[in-house]
């Protein structure tokens, strides 16, 4: 039965997503309970699958009985099991947040489940073209979710996201076409063998790598291809900002690592060092530029968006360094960032509802009026900086050690400088929350005054995220061993 679970992780949310649309004929509030039931099942399947991978190794499933490489294969190893479990649990947690925060329309929850479908499919597929299909499903759902905001600016942000996202997906598809022309196959494992046979210095192979990785870099939102992200995060509803900041770029970064290591392999990076240096250089620029832009922001949500540009630069740098230590660090930071950034966006929503503050200056003295929101924000901010024993410290430490092992001292300097810049903008916010004089009077209207108060479920999401930001450190040794056991081609360059 376990071999069917990868397929069920895709089938369950896409079937569940159709139910709210049908239920709209009877009730306009059926979406949330349907989504909750669907994601509970999805989470149970993801936990079962992850436990099986840890104890027994890789799980595969061939769709329709057509044996790979001719059919579509689903493959779940240590890395994909961790990511699909993250997708499932974060989506379920933020559904509790959405219960009060909204949006409440049935169509919203259909798109929510469609997004989970796309993210799950991207994670478990072992086929390069199938990855494109799920990448588009994820994009379409994300564009719709961003546009679900009440202001016209949300629709504009969604349109910008759609245009840039379509460019990224198109680049990836072109790369798949070049890889198919060079090898005659789309299965990732078969591609790895045949690309090596063709020769890594082949023009077709190098072009395929550049286009596929370039398209995914757009989806990850590295500088200067990040311009869709601040507007999308700032104008989307609170639930959507937390969801897409936690998962969409995270799974895109996972897909980048999967293509880099499972399709082209570390041998390609060794044979074509310019590809590795290009990625390391782009990631380093993104780390610094994202941090500098975050420091200069007045809007808290835009600051968090630019922070993501920097943090994903760090993740891609770890993958591009491609030593075992750096790859483990990039994976840890990838998973930890999803929890921390999703929690931070959830906390900003709570603070705004309690106090009306959404700008950096407005956070002054707001800890007293929103103690749980401010407390969760402070813990998650310090974890993002990399204060021990938080997971943010562990991930960065592994990446730095990996860079030292590879002799990439300029990258080490960039990583340490980015930590100082991250401290600068997060410390400023924490200081204002707890030590500055309030700039917003208590009698000024807040979001809560409009009848949209903070619920226990919303508070629980922030508290759990803050706890996990520290507790996930304990799971790092197990994750590291699982990666080493199930991904030997990736971790033994």
């Amino acid at each position: 039965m376990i071999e069917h679970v990868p397929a069920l992780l895709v089938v369950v949310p896409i079937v569940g997503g159709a139910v709210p649309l049908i239920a709209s004929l009877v009730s306009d509030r059926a979406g949330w309970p349907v989504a909750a039931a669907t994601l509970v099942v999805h989470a149970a399947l993801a936990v079962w699958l992850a436990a099986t991978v840890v104890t027994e190794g890789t799980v595969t499933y061939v769709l329709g009985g057509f044996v790979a490489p001719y059919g579509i294969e689903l493959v779940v190893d240590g890395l994909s099991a961790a990511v699909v479990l993250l997708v499932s649990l974060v989506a379920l947690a933020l559904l509790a947040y959405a219960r009060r925060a909204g949006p409440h329309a049935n169509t919203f929850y259909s798109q929510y489940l469609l997004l989970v479908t796309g993210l799950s499919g991207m994670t478990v597929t072992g086929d390069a073209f199938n990855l494109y299909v799920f990448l588009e499903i994820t994009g379409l759902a994300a564009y719709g979710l961003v546009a679900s905001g009440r202001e016209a600016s949300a629709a504009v942000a969604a349109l910008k996201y759609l245009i840039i996202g379509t460019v990224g997906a198109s680049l990836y598809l072109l790369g798949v076409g070049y890889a198919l022309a060079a090898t005659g196959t789309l299965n990732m494992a078969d591609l790895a063998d045949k690309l090596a046979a063709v020769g890594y210095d082949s023009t077709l192979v190098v072009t395929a790598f550049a286009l596929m990785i370039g398209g995914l870099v757009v989806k990850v939102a590295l500088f200067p291809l990040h311009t869709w992200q601040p507007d999308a995060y700032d104008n989307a509803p609170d639930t959507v900002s937390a969801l897409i900041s936690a998962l969409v770029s995270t799974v895109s970064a996972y897909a980048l690592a999967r293509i880099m290591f499972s399709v082209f392999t570390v041998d390609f990076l060794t044979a074509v060092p310019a590809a590795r240096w290009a990625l390391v250089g782009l990631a380093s620029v993104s780390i610094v530029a994202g941090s500098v832009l975050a420091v200069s922001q007045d809007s808290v949500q835009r600051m968090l968006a630019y922070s993501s540009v920097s943090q994903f630069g760090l993740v891609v740098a770890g993958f591009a360094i491609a030593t075992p230590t750096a790859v483990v660090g990039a994976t840890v930071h990838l998973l930890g960032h999803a929890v921390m950034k999703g929690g931070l966006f959830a906390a900003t929503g709570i603070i705004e509802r309690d106090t009306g503050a959404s700008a950096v200056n407005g956070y002054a003295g707001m800890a007293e009026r929103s103690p749980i929101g401010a407390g969760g924000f402070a813990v998650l901010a310090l974890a993002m900086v990399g204060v021990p024993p938080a997971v943010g410290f562990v991930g960065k430490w592994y990446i730095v050690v990996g860079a030292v092992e590879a002799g990439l001292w300029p990258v080490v300097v960039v990583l340490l400088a980015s930590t100082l810049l991250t401290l600068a903008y997060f410390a400023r916010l924490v200081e204002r929350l707890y030590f500055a004089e309030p700039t917003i009077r208590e009698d000024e209207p807040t979001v809560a005054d409009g009848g949209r108060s903070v619920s226990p479920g919303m508070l629980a999401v922030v508290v759990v995220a803050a706890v996990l930001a520290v507790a996930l450190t304990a799971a790092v040794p197990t994750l590291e061993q699982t990666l080493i056991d199930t991904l030997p081609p990736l971790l033994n360059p």
Side-chain angles (χ1 to χ4, degrees):
M1 178 62 185
I2 189 64
E3 66 271 15
H4 297 283
V5 172
L8 290 174
L9 287 172
V10 177
V11 171
V12 167
I14 200 168
V15 171
V19 175
L21 297 178
I22 299 171
S24 296
L25 299 174
V26 180
S27 171
D28 60 355
R29 290 300 177 95
W32 191 90
V34 170
T38 302
L39 289 179
V40 166
V41 174
H42 192 273
L45 292 171
V47 169
W48 183 19
L49 184 60
T52 302
V53 170
V54 169
T55 57
E56 300 179 17
T58 302
V59 175
T60 61
Y61 179 78
V62 178
L63 295 177
F66 294 97
V67 179
Y70 305 105
I72 296 174
E73 186 179 30
L74 304 181
V75 182
V76 181
D77 53 26
L79 180 58
S80 50
V83 174
V84 78
L85 181 61
L86 173 79
V87 168
S88 189
L89 296 181
V90 169
L92 181 60
L94 289 175
L95 193 66
Y97 189 92
R99 179 64 168 173
R100 176 63 61 86
H104 301 292
N106 286 348
T107 52
F108 169 78
Y109 292 105
S110 289
Q111 292 178 88
Y112 194 106
L113 292 174
L114 186 63
L115 182 69
V116 174
T117 300
L119 294 171
S120 300
M122 287 177 64
T123 305
V124 303
T125 187
D127 182 274
F129 179 76
N130 203 228
L131 175 59
Y132 165 76
V133 173
F134 286 117
L135 189 68
E136 285 288 66
I137 291 173
T138 299
L140 290 172
Y143 310 147
L145 289 171
V146 170
S148 64
R150 298 187 177 189
E151 303 295 330
S153 57
V156 175
L159 179 60
K160 187 176 182 179
Y161 187 4
L162 184 153
I163 293 170
I164 298 176
T166 300
V167 171
S170 299
L171 289 174
Y172 175 82
L173 182 60
L174 283 172
V176 171
Y178 275 95
L180 178 63
T183 63
T185 186
L186 293 169
N187 180 271
M188 290 183 182
D190 199 37
L191 269 171
D193 294 334
K194 292 186 176 179
L195 286 171
V198 171
Y200 292 129
D201 57 351
S202 165
T203 302
L204 277 176
V205 174
V206 173
T207 304
F209 178 87
L211 289 171
M212 293 172 77
I213 296 299
L216 292 171
V217 162
V218 175
K219 292 291 189 177
V220 174
L222 294 190
F223 183 91
L225 306 170
H226 68 288
T227 53
W228 62 267
Q229 194 173 67
D231 288 339
Y233 287 7
D234 193 30
N235 293 290
D238 293 340
T239 302
V240 176
S241 296
L243 183 67
I244 64 175
S245 68
L247 296 180
V248 173
S249 290
T250 298
V251 177
S252 297
Y254 157 81
L256 185 149
R258 178 61 68 194
I259 294 297
M260 189 188 304
F261 294 118
S262 293
V263 175
F264 289 91
T265 76
V266 176
D267 291 335
F268 174 86
L269 298 178
T270 303
V272 188
R276 181 191 298 230
W277 283 110
L279 267 177
V280 170
L282 180 62
S284 298
V285 170
S286 189
I287 291 169
V288 175
S291 296
V292 171
L293 288 168
V295 171
S296 64
Q297 298 305 307
D298 182 54
S299 165
V300 176
Q301 289 196 321
R302 294 184 74 86
M303 185 205 77
L304 293 177
Y306 285 115
S307 169
S308 291
V309 174
S310 175
Q311 299 301 320
F312 279 110
L314 197 150
V315 169
V316 172
F319 287 136
I321 292 168
T323 65
T325 305
V327 170
V328 170
T331 304
V332 170
H333 198 65
L334 182 70
L335 302 176
H337 177 269
V339 173
M340 293 183 289
K341 190 55 62 71
L344 283 167
F345 271 100
T348 62
I350 289 173
I351 293 172
E352 183 175 4
R353 284 167 175 270
D354 283 338
T355 69
S358 60
V360 173
N361 290 332
Y363 270 40
M366 293 298 106
E368 184 176 350
R369 293 171 58 182
S370 183
I372 296 179
F377 188 96
V379 171
L380 291 163
L382 294 176
M384 188 69 74
V385 171
V387 176
V391 69
F393 167 77
V394 178
K396 291 182 180 181
W397 175 257
Y398 271 73
I399 296 171
V400 169
V401 171
V404 171
E405 291 174 347
L408 299 176
W409 293 103
V411 178
V412 175
V413 173
V414 168
L415 296 177
L416 296 177
S418 76
T419 298
L420 295 177
L421 288 170
T422 304
L423 176 63
Y425 57 79
F426 276 127
R428 175 180 58 160
L429 271 177
V430 174
E431 183 273 335
R432 288 181 183 277
L433 278 170
Y434 285 94
F435 302 108
E437 290 294 324
T439 57
I440 297 178
R441 302 191 313 271
E442 290 194 30
D443 59 348
E444 290 187 27
T446 67
V447 177
D449 295 329
R452 295 188 290 159
S453 59
V454 175
S455 70
M458 295 174 67
L459 297 174
V461 168
V462 174
V463 171
V464 169
V467 171
L468 286 177
V470 178
L472 280 176
T473 303
V476 170
T478 301
L479 176 62
E480 179 178 5
Q481 190 59 50
T482 302
L483 289 172
I484 292 172
D485 289 344
T486 60
L487 297 172
L490 190 157
L491 295 179
N492 290 289

